[in-house]
Amino acid sequence: PFAFGTTIGVRRQLHEAIGGFDEDLYPAAEDMDYSWRLQLAGAEIHFVSEAVTHYRMRGDLRGLWRQAYNYGVGNVLVYKKHRELGLAPVPRPWRRGMRAWLGLGKRALLARDRSRLALFVWHLGLRMGMLRASVAQRVVFL
């Protein structure tokens, strides 16, 4: 439903028509908001298989956690913004949130090698960012 910021190609006229990226959505998810606003303006998102993007993942667990945390914060900010624009609410947010947190516990138990530890750290950072932003923004998006 959205294009990642590292992969977006848009005509300048359309970019300006929707007001560009919303910098108030710092630290993350401005690309999600941008894609949704493009679609609300009538644009279609297309996948171009010939396009090549080079993306470097974070090399350490702290950087990985920080990136995921920021994504969690950004997801809440975009959700709140678009809820006010008519986005349907998340069904059963408390139940979904509790399942995600329980799943996090399972990931912790399975984190026996570096790749699984990295996956756990990623999901922990994401959930912590979503929790903090949900409290700060007074919106249930856990």
Side-chain angles (χ1 to χ4, degrees), residues 55-68 70-71 114 118 122:
Y55 185 81
R56 187 182 67 200
M57 298 299 289
R58 302 302 188 264
D60 64 332
L61 294 176
R62 180 179 292 190
L64 188 65
W65 186 88
R66 188 173 43 248
Q67 181 183 33
N70 288 339
Y71 282 3
R114 184 152 173 84
W122 172 265

Side-chain angles (χ1 to χ4, degrees), residues 11-49:
R11 293 189 187 277
R12 182 179 185 155
Q13 180 182 8
L14 184 54
H15 173 79
E16 291 174 352
I18 67 163
F21 288 95
D22 183 349
E23 295 179 13
D24 291 335
L25 296 176
Y26 179 82
E30 66 281 351
D31 50 357
M32 184 186 313
D33 168 67
Y34 185 79
S35 294
W36 289 359
R37 288 186 293 119
L38 284 170
Q39 291 173 81
L40 288 171
E44 292 183 27
I45 293 179
H46 299 279
F47 177 73
V48 179
S49 61

Side-chain angles (χ1 to χ4, degrees), residues 52-141:
V52 176
T53 302
H54 295 276
Y55 185 81
R56 187 182 67 200
M57 298 299 289
R58 302 302 188 264
D60 64 332
L61 294 176
R62 180 179 292 190
L64 188 65
W65 186 88
R66 188 173 43 248
Q67 181 183 33
Y69 180 89
N70 288 339
Y71 282 3
V73 171
N75 286 343
V76 171
L77 294 175
V78 168
Y79 175 73
K80 181 179 180 186
K81 176 180 178 177
H82 285 270
R83 277 289 298 129
E84 294 168 358
L85 297 174
L87 178 70
V90 172
R92 300 183 189 98
W94 291 103
R95 181 184 295 177
R96 291 176 68 151
M98 290 308 294
R99 282 186 182 163
W101 282 96
L102 289 172
L104 190 60
K106 181 179 175 182
R107 286 185 191 280
L109 294 172
L110 296 174
R112 297 170 195 248
D113 59 30
R114 184 152 173 84
S115 65
R116 288 185 180 173
L117 177 61
L119 194 56
F120 167 71
V121 167
W122 172 265
H123 284 280
L124 177 62
L126 184 71
R127 290 287 152 206
M128 291 298 294
M130 290 170 71
L131 179 61
R132 180 166 185 223
S134 289
V135 171
Q137 297 296 319
R138 298 176 192 249
V139 62
V140 181
F141 192 79

